[in-house]
Amino acid sequence: MSQSSLQATPMTRRQWLMSDRPQSRLQARLGRAYMTWQRFSANKLAVAGLCIILLLILIAIFADVLAPHSPVIGNLGGARLLPPGSPGYLLGTDDQGRDILSRLLHGSRLTLLVIVLVAIIAAPIGLLVGAVSGYAGGWVDAVLMRITDIFLAFPKLVLALAFVAAMGPGIQNAIIAIAITSWPPYARIARAETLSVRNSDYIAAVQLMGASPFRIVLRHVMPMCMSSLIVRVTLDMAGIILTAAGLGFLGLGAQPPLPEWGAMIASGRRFILDQWWVATMPGIAILIVSLGFNLLGDGLRDALDPRESGQ
């Protein structure tokens, strides 16, 4: 009897989550989250991307524990440009005698810092501009979209270079520059989503109830744009990483001796023919993390939009 009850419990819980008639708002939200996870977990590549990102987060948290050496202090006397597999240096050392593995592990923190701060700054700006533009229409829409078009007219890296050159090199200025150049695509997506729901019946009902335009945009329009925005932000993470690495490669991002992956590639390009590992190892790290975010973004796109997954 108890065994049958234990076997029936998971099925009952699943039926409760997938009920067509949820009894509460919490049940409806949990049901949507469960079905989204079901669609996401069915995509093995997306799960692989999620594992890569989770591994990156864990590495960034425990970098101090995992790193066998200091990321900034080297050994010029006896450990300069050692190849991978050398005793005590799994991925070799650079021209300053610093352990490349330790620098990669600590560099993951800078990568996550750039990604998180750019997403926190750029996504809300793009969402607000796009929602206000799509809902207001008229001259407000024209002005905001022309400003957006000006930013979109320049390649992201070129525009980021211009802002960093004006503000000065440094990781903080690089983050601000990347965020300034990243919000226009989000504004376009939010505007398109807003135009599709602006004349819907539930928006008209809210207007009849006396809700202000600010409340309508904030409480009813912007939440409708979140799914598309989350997917676009996730897909843009790889571009953000490459832009940050490009700025670091040109000496305008994180400054030495910070272990930023792009700066590591720049310092290792002088040894690319003989000591290839100095530039190759951070390049592989950028490749793996960018691939992980791309796979995760593709999976989220299919999971959050059932029409894309054929459901």
Side-chain angles (χ1 to χ4, degrees):
M1 189 70 172
S2 59
Q3 183 177 0
S4 61
S5 300
L6 290 173
Q7 293 176 349
T9 301
M11 181 62 67
T12 303
R13 201 170 293 158
R14 184 174 185 274
Q15 291 176 345
W16 182 81
L17 288 171
M18 301 189 66
S19 174
D20 294 335
R21 297 180 179 179
Q23 301 300 314
S24 65
R25 184 176 299 179
L26 176 62
Q27 182 181 357
R29 290 176 176 175
L30 291 176
R32 286 197 300 269
Y34 177 75
M35 289 186 286
T36 299
W37 170 250
Q38 289 289 96
R39 291 193 294 267
F40 179 85
S41 60
N43 188 335
K44 302 304 180 184
L45 290 178
V47 174
L50 177 62
C51 292
I52 292 174
I53 303 309
L54 291 178
L55 181 61
L56 174 69
I57 295 173
L58 291 176
I59 288 174
I61 294 174
F62 298 104
D64 292 329
V65 178
L66 297 174
H69 300 279
S70 170
V72 296
I73 300 176
N75 182 8
L76 286 172
R80 184 175 183 271
L81 295 175
L82 293 179
S86 299
Y89 301 98
L90 182 62
L91 299 182
T93 60
D94 61 7
D95 59 315
Q96 301 295 319
R98 298 171 296 195
D99 180 40
I100 293 179
L101 176 59
S102 300
R103 288 178 63 78
L104 289 178
L105 295 177
H106 283 271
S108 63
R109 292 181 171 178
L110 290 176
T111 300
L112 279 180
L113 176 67
V114 172
I115 291 172
V116 171
L117 290 182
V118 169
I120 291 176
I121 297 172
I125 292 176
L127 177 61
L128 181 62
V129 170
V132 171
S133 176
Y135 183 78
W139 67 268
V140 175
D141 182 26
V143 170
L144 292 178
M145 285 302 101
R146 295 301 77 76
I147 296 174
T148 304
D149 290 339
I150 292 174
F151 280 88
L152 290 174
F154 297 92
K156 183 183 295 186
L157 180 58
V158 174
L159 196 56
L161 283 172
F163 282 115
V164 174
M167 294 184 293
I171 187 65
Q172 296 87 354
N173 291 339
I175 292 173
I176 295 174
I178 297 173
I180 292 175
T181 61
S182 298
W183 67 266
Y186 309 147
R188 282 291 187 182
I189 291 176
R191 178 179 179 271
E193 293 285 346
T194 303
L195 290 176
S196 65
V197 302
R198 182 178 62 179
N199 297 322
S200 59
D201 292 338
Y202 79 92
I203 294 295
V206 174
Q207 291 174 339
L208 290 175
M209 293 173 63
S212 65
F214 176 78
R215 181 180 177 85
I216 293 174
V217 170
L218 188 64
R219 297 293 300 274
H220 302 281
V221 174
M222 291 175 65
M224 297 297 296
C225 308
M226 290 303 298
S227 296
S228 300
L229 192 68
I230 290 173
V231 173
R232 181 57 191 258
V233 169
T234 307
L235 289 171
D236 278 355
M237 293 301 183
I240 292 171
I241 294 172
L242 293 176
T243 303
L247 293 176
F249 182 85
L250 296 173
L252 297 175
Q255 299 299 296
L258 290 178
E260 199 274 325
W261 293 346
M264 291 173 64
I265 296 177
S267 64
R269 70 184 187 275
R270 297 173 295 167
F271 315 101
I272 192 65
L273 295 180
D274 298 322
Q275 291 80 26
W276 52 267
W277 57 88
V278 180
T280 302
M281 296 306 176
I284 293 175
I286 293 173
L287 172 64
I288 293 175
V289 174
S290 299
L291 178 63
F293 276 112
N294 278 330
L295 294 177
L296 178 62
D298 288 338
L300 286 177
R301 180 189 59 195
D302 296 340
L304 295 175
D305 187 1
R307 293 172 298 180
E308 295 289 339
S309 58
Q311 297 184 20

